[in-house]
Amino acid sequence: MQAAPPTRLGGRVKPVLLCLSHLRWDFVFQRPQHLMTRAAQDHEVIFFEEPLQEAIPQPRLDLSMQQGGVLRAVPVLPHGLDAAASAAALRVLLDAMLAERAGRPLIAWFYTPMALTFADHLRPDVTIYDCMDELSAFRGAPPAMLAMERRLLDLADEVFTGGRSLFEAKRDRHDRVHCFPSSIDTAHFGRARGELPEPAALAGIPHPRIGFFGVIDERMDLALVAAFAALRPDMHLIMLGPVVKIDPASLPQGPNLHWLGGRRYDELPDYLAHWDLGFMPFALNESTRFISPTKTPEFLASGLPVLSTPVVDVVRDYGEAGLVEIVESAAELAEQADALLARPREPFLARVDQQLAKNSWDMTWARMAALLRVPEAAPVAAMAKGVAHV
């Protein structure tokens, strides 16, 4: 699919925001999607993903316009290319796409330092490193990740972090580090407090239902999930999300464990509306040391009390405020689940709403955008005189 013509803001073309992402647009709707759909109101946003491989003779770039006005760019490379050849092919595809937008202000927005393997030659007007996770700690991280991050920190004009722990880890490594923790689309998840039809996948599953949604990977404490399910067979655990980087056969099984697979972002309120509690059974390991789960405020906005293992940012941002119950064992999980099920909701929801009113993805994007300092876009008539940012 060919890209749409450059969109215009008044009589001027929008700046280009090139988002270089390790996550795919249609994988799980989270921080990049929330921010880029908002950025697309004032920028032409290109969401450039990591490559796919196919049995093709030449590299190609698949372009598709996504809901929210984001142009998704998926590089497709021939099988068998080594790292150097892949980087060279990606550079050619990227340069050709940017050449069509020559002369316009360019923001390079990195979610992965590894994108520098094919994008370090760019000369954008603004470089942003939005560090939403400590990717070097994730299973399968490239050995070069830390070295590439050092290079990106040298190039970046602004560094954003997805939580307080990440901010504390990065703030001494760059002069301009800003903490932007996980935020919330309250209206979207607030729908779960109303009367929504029950999804067919939940039919026949008894209450109480305790649910998790998100990526199921090495960050989940499967032993805790299994122990809790065995300890409380009357409580049914609903697990929504794709299984990645771990063997699906390793997932604990039982009559009260329901692994339902991934669901679209717009479907989530329908599920949460029919759960009794939310829980976040994160393992405490290197991959969770710096996380600030977006699902924490999403659970709360939906009206669900939440149980979580003691992830540092969850404890500091929500546990200490009395909005999330922190548990360390299956026995504590069972005890606190009973207590939360019996607790009146109205006083809890009042405190939740007071807290959530302080932040939103709209507010977060507005604060980020104020830091971009993008040069004024050239008039449309002057576009032909521009040059590519390479």
Side-chain angles (χ1 to χ4, degrees), residues 82-255:
D82 61 22
S86 294
L90 291 171
R91 183 173 298 202
V92 169
L93 293 173
L94 180 61
D95 286 352
M97 183 175 62
L98 292 179
E100 298 175 357
R101 294 156 174 84
R104 296 164 60 185
L106 176 66
I107 302 165
W109 188 292
F110 287 80
Y111 277 108
T112 171
M114 297 307 296
L116 285 176
T117 59
F118 61 87
D120 64 349
H121 66 299
L122 297 180
R123 297 296 178 264
D125 297 284
V126 180
T127 299
I128 301 295
Y129 176 26
D130 189 8
C131 181
M132 64 179 283
D133 285 306
E134 186 61 73
L135 295 181
S136 63
F138 283 18
R139 183 175 297 181
M145 180 72 76
L146 289 175
M148 297 298 280
E149 185 185 55
R150 286 193 292 271
R151 291 180 59 194
L152 181 54
L153 287 167
D154 287 340
L155 293 171
D157 296 294
E158 307 285 344
V159 177
F160 303 152
T161 68
R164 281 205 279 169
S165 294
L166 271 175
F167 171 75
E168 291 163 359
K170 308 297 180 185
R171 63 184 173 187
D172 294 331
R173 301 182 60 192
H174 193 279
D175 292 337
R176 296 182 61 82
V177 182
H178 312 272
C179 185
F180 289 107
S182 297
S183 199
I184 176 66
D185 183 343
T186 302
H188 179 74
F189 284 92
R191 293 176 48 237
R193 300 191 192 187
E195 297 294 327
L196 298 179
E198 181 179 75
L202 295 179
I205 299 177
H207 291 266
R209 296 168 177 168
I210 302 178
F212 169 88
F213 66 94
V215 180
I216 298 167
D217 57 16
E218 77 274 15
R219 293 172 293 175
M220 180 172 285
D221 188 339
L222 296 178
L224 177 64
V225 173
F228 177 45
L231 185 64
R232 293 302 303 269
D234 59 313
M235 293 185 176
H236 286 258
L237 309 187
I238 315 296
M239 313 297 286
L240 295 184
V243 180
V244 300
K245 295 188 287 184
I246 61 173
D247 184 355
S250 68
L251 302 179
Q253 302 297 320

